[in-house]
Amino acid sequence: MESKRDKGQETDVAKITSELLKSRTGEFDLESILFLKLRGLGIYDLGCIGECVNLERLDLSGNNITNLAPLASLRLLLALNLSSNRITNLEAICSCYSLQSLNVAGNLISSIENLHCLQSLRNMENIRLNDNTYNYTNPVCKNTSYRSVLLEMFPSIKVLDGERVVGRGSDLYQLCKDIDDTIKAGMSRNGQMLEVPECKPWVEDGFWDIKRSNNAIIEEAYKQFNDVLQECKLLNNRAAHAIAQSERFLSSKSQPKQYSV
């Protein structure tokens, strides 16, 4: 699997060093780094990243990482993006107890057994192994039961592979997805798409137009309303004229008097 890089990629960095971390963040002390983005740099050795013990958000996507051992000391890490690397084993991050969001799409995780080590991450809310947007996946995703296994492992999970599974919107999302699947299944026969008939409006033309009633009471009210509206317009014009006259009068009073010599 080739590593995906950002457009306009920077020079490859084989190993993470303290100099690299300080230059990227502007921090002199590695323990002061809270957010770190090292995307698409060709990194394969995480080096001293474990010294950033207060790190909360880390993006290492699009590199060549295989060994996650240096991440074991990041106990305060909340969000970790490891997508598009060469990872086969996730055991090193099982001690990142604060982790809430994990993206490992686009790696080499091959079996459900490789996922069991994550059970200690009880705060997990969002996990991604498959990303259709970027065509990132893992061999384990070929096993149709991997989703149900993850849902059992993480009772508080809210989002799996970008799809909301619990909480607000989850029922609506599932309903829309089921309707979508049903429509797609109904539109195909023997693997071929059926011709969709031309859509017709639900109601006749003019159905939503406001029609005047023949009821005499309503007609009279409509007439009186128009009369009042016309009177209001007339009063508005008179008021505007009076205001304009007052402004001209005040303007002439404010001008300094000129005396001839």
Side-chain angles (χ1 to χ4, degrees):
M1 181 187 301
E2 292 184 1
S3 176
K4 289 83 175 174
R5 306 292 182 82
D6 289 342
K7 291 182 179 179
Q9 68 179 42
E10 302 175 49
T11 306
D12 283 2
V13 179
K15 181 178 181 179
I16 294 178
T17 63
S18 60
E19 290 76 16
L20 171 67
L21 297 176
K22 292 175 182 178
S23 66
R24 300 282 296 192
T25 63
E27 298 286 353
F28 293 101
D29 185 358
L30 298 187
E31 294 183 2
S32 300
I33 300 175
L34 301 179
F35 310 101
L36 186 58
K37 180 179 177 181
L38 299 173
R39 179 188 298 176
L41 298 179
I43 297 168
Y44 66 83
D45 187 341
L46 293 177
C48 63
I49 199 168
E51 296 178 28
C52 304
V53 292
N54 291 312
L55 203 57
E56 295 180 0
R57 298 184 179 276
L58 176 60
D59 185 352
L60 291 168
S61 58
N63 287 291
N64 297 309
I65 300 166
T66 58
N67 181 14
L68 301 179
L71 301 181
S73 59
L74 305 181
R75 304 298 175 87
L76 301 180
L77 197 60
L78 299 175
L80 176 60
N81 187 350
L82 293 168
S83 62
S84 185
N85 278 283
R86 301 176 182 275
I87 300 164
T88 59
N89 191 307
L90 298 172
E91 288 184 12
I93 62 174
C94 68
S95 59
C96 300
Y97 300 117
S98 301
L99 202 59
Q100 297 176 359
S101 176
L102 174 64
N103 186 349
V104 289
N107 280 282
L108 303 173
I109 301 167
S110 59
S111 68
I112 290 176
E113 286 69 26
N114 295 134
L115 303 175
H116 288 317
C117 61
L118 300 177
Q119 279 187 298
S120 59
L121 306 178
R122 307 315 297 170
N123 295 314
M124 187 67 71
E125 296 181 352
N126 183 346
I127 186 168
R128 184 188 284 274
L129 280 88
N130 186 58
D131 189 339
N132 292 326
T133 304
Y134 297 101
N135 198 26
Y136 291 171
T137 188
N138 281 276
V140 69
C141 297
K142 295 178 181 178
N143 187 332
T144 55
S145 65
Y146 89 93
R147 289 175 60 88
S148 58
V149 170
L150 286 172
L151 291 174
E152 290 178 8
M153 285 173 54
F154 303 110
S156 60
I157 196 170
K158 296 179 181 178
V159 181
L160 174 58
D161 289 342
E163 298 177 3
R164 181 169 285 277
V165 292
V166 296
R168 292 184 61 185
S170 58
D171 294 339
L172 178 60
Y173 176 87
Q174 190 58 47
L175 175 62
C176 293
K177 188 173 185 298
D178 292 343
I179 293 174
D180 241 9
D181 293 341
T182 303
I183 292 174
K184 289 177 181 177
M187 289 174 60
S188 61
R189 183 180 299 165
N190 298 326
Q192 295 183 346
M193 295 298 292
L194 299 179
E195 184 177 351
V196 181
E198 183 182 356
C199 296
K200 297 182 179 180
W202 293 357
V203 295
E204 297 178 357
D205 291 341
F207 180 84
W208 300 109
D209 294 343
I210 298 176
K211 299 179 177 62
R212 294 181 61 183
S213 171
N214 293 325
N215 188 298
I217 297 176
I218 296 178
E219 288 287 343
E220 180 62 24
Y222 182 80
K223 180 177 180 299
Q224 291 181 12
F225 174 78
N226 276 328
D227 291 342
V228 172
L229 185 61
Q230 291 299 323
E231 187 174 350
C232 289
K233 289 180 179 179
L234 180 61
L235 290 173
N236 180 67
N237 290 336
R238 289 177 179 174
H241 179 68
I243 291 172
Q245 283 185 324
S246 299
E247 288 178 343
R248 285 196 296 270
F249 177 76
L250 293 173
S251 176
S252 63
K253 286 287 185 180
S254 63
Q255 291 179 359
K257 295 182 178 180
Q258 297 180 356
Y259 300 94
S260 58
V261 178

